[in-house]
Amino acid sequence: MKAAIFQGTRQIECQEAVKPSPTNPDELVMRVVRACVCGSDLWWYRGTSPRPAGSSVGHEAIGVVDQVGSRVSSVRPGDFIIVPFAYSCGVCPVCKAGFEATCPNGGFFDAGEPGLGAQAEYMRVPLADGTVVMVPGGRERARGFSDQMLDNLLTLSDVMGTGYHAAAMAEVKPGDTVAVVGDGAVGLCGVIAAKLRGANRIIALSGHKERQDMAREFGADDIVSERGREAVDKVRELTDGWGADAVLECVGSRQSTATALAIARNGAVVGRVGVPHDEHVDAEETFYHNTGLRGGPASVRTWDQKVLLDAVLAGSINPGRVFTAEYDLDHVAQAYRDMDQRTTIKSLLRVSQV
Amino acid sequence: MKAAIFQGTRQIECQEAVKPSPTNPDELVMRVVRACVCGSDLWWYRGTSPRPAGSSVGHEAIGVVDQVGSRVSSVRPGDFIIVPFAYSCGVCPVCKAGFEATCPNGGFFDAGEPGLGAQAEYMRVPLADGTVVMVPGGRERARGFSDQMLDNLLTLSDVMGTGYHAAAMAEVKPGDTVAVVGDGAVGLCGVIAAKLRGANRIIALSGHKERQDMAREFGADDIVSERGREAVDKVRELTDGWGADAVLECVGSRQSTATALAIARNGAVVGRVGVPHDEHVDAEETFYHNTGLRGGPASVRTWDQKVLLDAVLAGSINPGRVFTAEYDLDHVAQAYRDMDQRTTIKSLLRVSQV
């Protein structure tokens, strides 16, 4: 089969690889229909974080179940599924509490293990019963899905669920004024999530015209294009000095985290999903403002099952709009380059027909 | 009138002071019936934090309304009230969101301003309508209260509300396994709060026999007397390795915070109320465990009005048990010394008859 393989900094190649099989009875193998490139892939693509050469890549995909191990009971070949970016047992106290992306029995597809890469024609899914999200109706129904619907479903493997995690951790509730820090695909999905949870007013922090437009399309009422101290002043000004009732931190840098904490109303929670790089939290400052900080790897499966899959199937949200360029697997190198150079918000990979 | 005055490190004196009057129409003056010494008073008593010599002290009291300013409409002379440790406007977005102890229009009674000290025969209460909690029935009913009931009501000015804030911020819910870090009066009230919110199992971290006994009396099922790494191992062992569903941090030191974060189940929230001293939060570690951190100065008025006053008046909780020694104002110096030397959990000051 074809698979995207990391060869070194800024080198991704589409290569021939061995098609995976279930390595134990709890696994399944999925034929990938759509995959994509994640903002977090850029960390190792750019050499900012380490990754072994020769490793398979990608952690976002939807597709058709191809083979199941003997103990897999929740899906069977022909079912149409979403694979979240992390696999999880589904039965431990952490999973039961709804934090399956930090399940101690699970792991990340991005870890580079053979066969787990989602940017490939087939991928292996460990702990299948605790991991995948089934789209009702199987392959038969999925054949009728528009490209737009498939794009929307693909975002439920990561970005839409991650944006929703930020909003849920920030406890966005009806009537809130919500600020979203970060205009990548996750931040834009955070805008959708805030709207879905009933926010009354959404302030998106974005310095890029194309992303500002999309944020508005997704429900943002105000755009703050300033950064740092000026962004804080602007959000404070927009909220009569009080700050936002809930803040979504979708970047993970030191500056973005400081901004997020500084624009939170006293007592508000900063829901964070940006993978932290050199973050710093002032424990006294947050204490004296009763500012909460909560989040981490997103509970994609939980949010898909509770709210997002229904919202996508009903056509009430269109997160697939974040894919602004598409490629086939042979052109995966270009898909990365365009993300790296920010000429696309998020790169879609069309891998096979439903 | 008599009032406790700070004169320098480890020097508190009962002195004659001018009886306060309302300095503006929003204020009231309360005749203090009971006051007490707080663990946080020890920070400046010991010279760990600065405080001007000659300042009035104390921030926890109950009593009878003596005088009201012309704009005070919620209470009148003769009403029996609880004064939380912070004053607040009651009408701004921060107060409306239930975080009145960080109200930008308010402040702390402990700030040392003339007349605001609660360890005195009379105290001034700014922003009275947004601050005080009225005990229904006024002085007439209060005359019938037992000493135990008065002690219980006094804890609603700070420690019981603060313990409850920790439990609420940690999102303690029915069925949870809850760990409480800190065996001061606030930590012990945290045990009561966890029980009140339906915790199934409460693990109290305490190294002192008298406090362990009281924690058990308040509802703790397990006591962990170890500290640091060993305490973490013990709590993990007691929870089959998973950690607690909710953690209350009631100390505020670097070690206690590290312990609290390390014993939290992935996805759990550490509710913190210990005034931070040299706290440090590892932003990456908490991210990868989806550990939340939330809290600050407690919403005493909110929790009193929502749940605690009813629970005390109904006799369902007895937080006043934390007062293990009592004094009159003339002996306030001894009240501090005994707290400082940990020969009492919390010192009660009997100031006047109802």
Side-chain angles (χ1 to χ4, degrees), chain A:
Chain A
M1 68 165 190
K2 289 178 183 175
I5 304 291
F6 175 72
Q7 295 294 14
T9 300
R10 289 196 164 82
Q11 289 178 62
I12 291 284
E13 289 177 15
C14 178
Q15 298 185 335
E16 269 303 306
V18 179
K19 180 190 163 185
S21 304
T23 62
N24 75 49
D26 297 321
E27 294 191 354
L28 63 73
V29 167
M30 177 179 83
R31 175 168 63 75
V32 177
V33 170
R34 297 279 186 279
C36 49
V37 183
C38 184
S40 70
D41 290 332
L42 297 180
W43 289 105
W44 46 256
Y45 179 77
R46 291 168 174 165
T48 313
S49 58
R51 186 180 194 91
S55 57
S56 64
V57 292
H59 58 265
E60 301 161 285
I62 57 173
V64 179
V65 177
D66 181 62
Q67 279 183 274
V68 295
S70 60
R71 278 211 302 266
V72 175
S73 63
S74 60
V75 292
R76 51 188 184 181
D79 280 340
F80 196 74
I81 59 173
I82 299 159
V83 180
F85 66 83
Y87 52 94
S88 48
C89 73
V91 293
C92 74
V94 172
C95 286
K96 282 186 182 159
F99 291 91
E100 65 275 5
T102 53
C103 166
N105 302 317
F108 296 114
F109 283 98
D110 188 51
E113 280 182 59
L116 294 195
Q119 294 163 4
E121 289 185 294
Y122 292 87
M123 71 183 288
R124 196 159 56 83
V125 180
L127 299 169
D129 284 337
T131 301
V132 306
V133 177
M134 189 163 71
V135 180
R139 190 183 169 204
E140 288 313 304
R141 180 187 185 195
R143 276 181 171 153
F145 287 153
S146 64
D147 279 333
Q148 186 186 357
M149 179 59 78
L150 291 174
D151 292 357
N152 288 339
L153 290 169
L154 177 57
T155 66
L156 302 192
S157 66
D158 187 344
V159 280
M160 186 60 231
T162 296
Y164 195 89
H165 195 62
M169 294 297 97
E171 298 180 9
V172 174
K173 58 184 188 313
D176 275 357
T177 293
V178 179
V180 181
V181 179
D183 63 0
V186 168
L188 293 166
C189 287
V191 173
I192 296 177
K195 192 84 185 165
L196 199 55
R197 290 177 65 94
N200 178 52
R201 183 185 186 188
I202 300 172
I203 302 168
L205 281 73
S206 169
H208 305 84
K209 178 71 172 68
E210 182 190 20
R211 294 160 193 245
Q212 291 172 352
D213 292 345
M214 195 171 287
R216 284 195 191 277
E217 179 190 325
F218 285 165
D221 302 282
D222 299 280
I223 302 290
V224 169
S225 56
E226 290 84 352
R227 292 169 69 92
R229 188 65 238 171
E230 283 156 16
V232 172
D233 292 344
K234 193 67 189 290
V235 176
R236 289 270 162 194
E237 186 188 315
L238 287 169
T239 55
D240 296 329
W242 299 104
D245 300 314
V247 181
L248 281 56
E249 200 298 294
C250 306
V251 180
S253 71
R254 179 179 279 247
Q255 187 185 49
S256 65
T257 305
T259 299
L261 291 168
I263 61 178
R265 194 244 303 128
N266 288 358
V269 182
V270 173
R272 62 174 181 155
V273 293
V275 176
H277 287 85
D278 191 33
E279 267 190 24
H280 174 77
V281 178
D282 183 327
E284 291 214 19
E285 183 78 9
T286 51
F287 183 88
Y288 284 107
H289 291 92
N290 256 294
T291 316
L293 183 67
R294 191 177 186 191
S299 304
V300 166
R301 188 181 204 233
T302 291
W303 306 128
D304 283 357
Q305 291 178 334
K306 279 198 178 167
V307 52
L308 299 177
L309 182 56
D310 284 349
V312 160
L313 290 175
S316 17
I317 60 174
N318 276 299
R321 291 274 292 108
V322 296
F323 298 112
T324 48
E326 56 181 62
Y327 312 82
D328 58 22
L329 259 188
D330 291 323
H331 295 85
V332 66
Q334 191 63 41
Y336 274 78
R337 270 195 295 272
D338 292 347
M339 286 276 287
D340 182 32
Q341 292 162 19
R342 289 178 77 97
T343 60
T344 176
I345 296 177
K346 193 168 174 73
S347 298
L348 174 77
L349 297 170
R350 290 170 173 260
V351 181
S352 68
Q353 298 295 317
V354 176

Side-chain angles (χ1 to χ4, degrees), chain B residues 2 17 60 70 82 88 90 100 104 125 141 158 163 170 175 191 230-231 257 266 320 345:
Chain B
K2 291 178 183 175
E60 302 161 283
S70 60
I82 299 159
S88 47
E100 66 274 5
V125 180
R141 179 185 184 197
D158 186 344
V191 173
E230 282 156 18
T257 305
N266 288 358
I345 295 176

